[in-house]
Amino acid sequence: MPSHRRRHGWLSRRRTAVVTTGLIAAGLLSGQAAFAADAQTATVSAAQAYYQAGEGEAATITLTVTTSDSKALAKPATLTYRTTTGTATSGADYTTTSGAATFAAGSMPGARTTIRIPVRRDRSTETAETIPVALTPTSAGLTVGAAPTVVINANGLPYLNSKLSTRRRVADLLARMSLDDKIGQMTQAERAAVTDDPTTIANLRLGSVLSGGGSVPASNTPTGWVTMVNTFQQAALSTPLQIPIIYGVDAVHGHGNVLGATIFPQNIGLGATRNPQLVGQVYHATAAEVRATGVPWDFAPCVCVTRDERWGRSYESFGEDPKLVTQMTTAVTGLQGRRTSQLDDPDRVLATIKHYAGDGNTTYGTGDSGYTIDRGITTTSRADFAATILPPYAAGIRAGAGSVMPSFSSVDFTDDGIGNPIKMHANRELLTGTLKGKLGFDGFVITDWEGIHQIPDPTATADTAKPTAVQVRTAVNAGIDMFMEPNTAQRFETLLKTEVTAGRVSQSRINDAVARILTSKFELGLFDKPFASTDRVDVVGSTEHRALARKAVAESQVLLKNDGNLLPLRSDAKVYVAGRNADNIGNQAGGWTLDWQGRSGDTIPGTTILDGIRQVVPTAKVTYSADASAPIGKDDVGIVVVGETPYAEGYGDVGGPAWPWGTDAQKETKSLTLQSSDKAAIDRVCGAVTKCVVLVVSGRPQIITDRLGKIDALVASWLPGSEGAGVADVLFGKRAFTGRLPVTWPASADQVPINVGDANYRPLYPYGWGLRTSSIHRRTTPSIAGPLADPKTGGWRVSAAKFTSAGFQSVAR
């Protein structure tokens, strides 16, 4: 809703335009009316809404001119300015100031001039105060934008003293906050809800703002992000206590919202590397790129354990074994560093372990919101929950994770009977009792997107606005500290205040939540350095980070089959490349890339797998035909790149709804079985050549048993991200194949869900499977002497191997 000031400004601009046109038209003959309509008008606006100044300083306000025809000013444009009444006291806090500013004729659009508002030093300890500055046009045809406000910074208060401990600073600030201040800190709104009127941040005392998937500033560049975040921060610092906002994003495989950022392999691929140190490096690089754009908080990593390939978020998991996922919580230290003192470093951000807990274990058919499995119900005993679901969260907390995000899913403990599931956002036992109690989590809990809106409310009807009072009360009392209310922040705040006033939510619960949030803000250095700098924007998409991503891609590749030691290929090979995912960087990046659901096509900077082949082996003779319609040479080695198109969350569920706004490719039915076009490409190429390689680019295993006999070498490429050259590196022996399956590869869709340790475990390729090659051309060795794919039975057989909970391990080394 526009403020009164903005509405008044719009009316003033319209009146000015009408009057100007009327005056000119009155002095013209009727034949000159067309000229009148084209008369140039100009607008002068402050470059920003708020200007901070310390006591004894002067606020320098920058004014910018634009013209209606984008041409130089035809005549001078003059306006006057004067200080008006705010919360600061004239004569004591500042000197009443007025004057005029003129843009000379010939000034180009974008020209700037400045005015200065002196601030006095009264040496008293006080909160921030404001000085509105009125702008009035005096030239005909000139309008002015919204009036700027000078903010005299708070000073002398203990919580502003960086030499005090975080605990003392939090306690001092908390004691000064009103209930409105506290509830505001517990509220997070979406960027789009505050962009048109950033004063909303100040009016609601918002503690946080986020960008959802695909929610970006008008200029989707690193500098554009810094400018946006700083604009929101200026609004937050216009409030008396000047509590900064904390901005958050989903950077789940690199800073995916930002065009030009390095896009790393999705977590499922990182799990295949079996390299915790590399995962830490990947997330450290991600943190550096995120913080460089002015964002100090990442909603990552996902440390769920995926147990059903039909789940649309399975690629966000590092794997199906809690031991593997636990090892990969190095992602937390990669983001935050190993010590709390590192959180305010320019290459670190606050981590969020998610989705607590059990979202990867939900039962197919129990999904919520129209999905088949996403947001569904995990039915388990408390003992099994503790053994298979909680370990990665415990490890993430030990690593120092500063925030936790609950799952959309529910948990139904069998200990007290089946049929009474509890939404995680309402689960006091697991949020307060287990997470904050037994696991000792001392950070803050942030909801998922409108997460509390799914809490059952027996008093609500289909038409009841959300969130409801019951949902708010239940979630706060369950232990949630901050609420992601993208477009309903004001409603949430009103409801929570009513609940506190009525005594249904205690002041102590509010104080606990706010103290946790403030602690993180102090540790991130936001009070001492609230504004982001553009000094490090060059790290976004840097050569160093892309090299790291390329290495991660190479290590993530899992060689499932390699008959006759076909791989690695010779650098001078004659290759025929086909398949829809060979030259589609959007497909190989997957979901959470530029858009929430990802985007097929030529979407981000980087190299496709085809680009990578041409780059890595420039001497190879490469023929490319996406649909394999071009002639195939009898001596060609076929490389067919098949797999999935991008998806995220429930829209990726097998049997779930189609994403209605995506590309045609993204609207295809989600399945564990290859699409017909993929099968056709394999048939055409592998049926025409003597040696055929198939790469599966996907977020989960794809059923390929029926075509395995035609394939000489099979590679699980996962979703490699922006650096497709890493795939080519292992194909042509520049790096060795070392990846191992982080999830079981089923022989048929009927076997799903299938996980290591199951009874009658007969997959096509088991958990932990992966053949190795040497980086020296043509020398290959198996990494595991064990299960061998049998295309006749669709199962596996064991040779000289032993089975452990960690997968198949070689007996003969």
Side-chain angles (χ1 to χ4, degrees), residues 320-575:
E320 71 183 40
D321 187 344
K323 293 181 181 179
L324 173 60
V325 179
T326 297
Q327 291 171 354
M328 298 306 178
T329 53
T330 50
V332 173
T333 51
L335 292 171
Q336 294 191 173
R338 296 186 178 277
R339 301 178 303 278
T340 301
S341 60
Q342 292 178 271
L343 272 174
D344 63 353
D345 288 351
D347 58 347
R348 300 293 183 179
V349 297
L350 194 73
T352 309
I353 50 177
K354 65 182 188 182
H355 303 87
Y356 181 84
D359 56 337
N361 302 61
T362 57
T363 302
Y364 191 83
T366 66
D368 199 354
S369 305
Y371 306 137
T372 55
I373 188 169
D374 192 33
R375 309 187 182 188
I377 300 171
T378 296
T379 302
T380 184
S381 68
R382 285 178 171 82
D384 285 345
F385 187 87
T388 63
I389 295 174
L390 285 183
Y393 294 95
I397 291 168
R398 288 194 300 270
S403 63
V404 170
M405 182 180 290
S407 170
F408 282 121
S409 59
S410 304
V411 174
D412 190 353
F413 286 128
T414 58
D415 308 62
D416 50 12
I418 303 279
N420 54 342
I422 301 176
K423 282 284 185 183
M424 275 305 312
H425 281 76
N427 201 315
R428 180 176 174 82
E429 175 188 349
L430 293 175
L431 291 174
T432 297
T434 300
L435 180 65
K436 295 181 176 180
K438 294 177 182 178
L439 298 181
F441 176 63
D442 59 3
F444 67 94
V445 178
I446 168 74
T447 74
D448 208 330
W449 183 280
E450 295 181 347
I452 69 170
H453 295 202
Q454 296 182 21
I455 296 175
D457 180 354
T459 68
T461 67
D463 297 328
T464 302
K466 293 182 178 179
T468 67
V470 169
Q471 291 168 336
V472 171
R473 175 172 70 248
T474 301
V476 175
N477 288 335
I480 290 176
D481 304 306
M482 184 182 286
F483 292 76
M484 191 184 293
E485 293 292 320
N487 303 295
T488 48
Q490 184 168 8
R491 176 176 176 82
F492 166 79
E493 290 189 1
T494 300
L495 290 171
L496 180 53
K497 185 173 184 179
T498 299
E499 293 300 302
V500 175
T501 303
R504 291 185 288 269
V505 173
S506 69
Q507 285 278 1
S508 62
R509 173 76 270 271
I510 298 296
N511 289 341
D512 172 64
V514 176
R516 290 168 177 268
I517 295 165
L518 294 178
T519 296
S520 289
K521 290 186 175 184
F522 278 115
E523 291 173 346
L524 285 163
L526 295 178
F527 281 86
D528 305 317
K529 191 177 180 181
F531 294 111
S533 166
T534 58
D535 291 348
R536 289 175 52 83
V537 294
D538 289 345
V539 308
V540 179
S542 67
T543 300
E544 179 184 2
H545 289 172
R546 291 188 181 276
L548 176 64
R550 180 171 175 173
K551 177 183 177 183
V553 171
E555 291 195 26
S556 74
Q557 302 299 291
V558 180
L559 182 56
L560 300 174
K561 181 181 180 180
N562 194 26
D563 282 0
N565 286 340
L566 174 59
L567 296 180
L569 300 172
R570 297 178 61 91
S571 60
D572 60 352
K574 183 182 179 184
V575 296

Side-chain angles (χ1 to χ4, degrees), residues 566-567 569 637-640 691-695 711-713 715 731:
L566 174 59
L567 296 180
L569 300 172
V637 176
I639 300 177
V640 189
K691 299 295 182 182
C692 191
V693 182
V694 172
L695 311 180
I711 299 169
D712 298 291
V715 180
L731 286 179

Side-chain angles (χ1 to χ4, degrees), residues 665-712:
Q666 289 176 257
K667 295 176 183 177
E668 68 189 19
T669 301
K670 300 301 180 289
S671 172
L672 296 182
T673 303
L674 289 177
Q675 299 292 322
S676 58
S677 61
D678 286 341
K679 293 178 181 179
I682 293 173
D683 291 344
R684 288 172 189 159
V685 177
C686 295
V689 299
T690 58
K691 299 295 182 182
C692 191
V693 182
V694 172
L695 311 180
V696 182
V697 173
S698 63
R700 52 196 166 197
Q702 298 287 282
I703 306 302
I704 201 163
T705 311
D706 59 346
R707 278 165 172 75
L708 196 58
K710 301 179 180 180
I711 299 169
D712 298 291

Side-chain angles (χ1 to χ4, degrees), residues 21 24-39:
T21 302
I24 295 174
L28 297 174
L29 299 174
S30 59
Q32 297 174 297
F35 173 79
D38 294 334

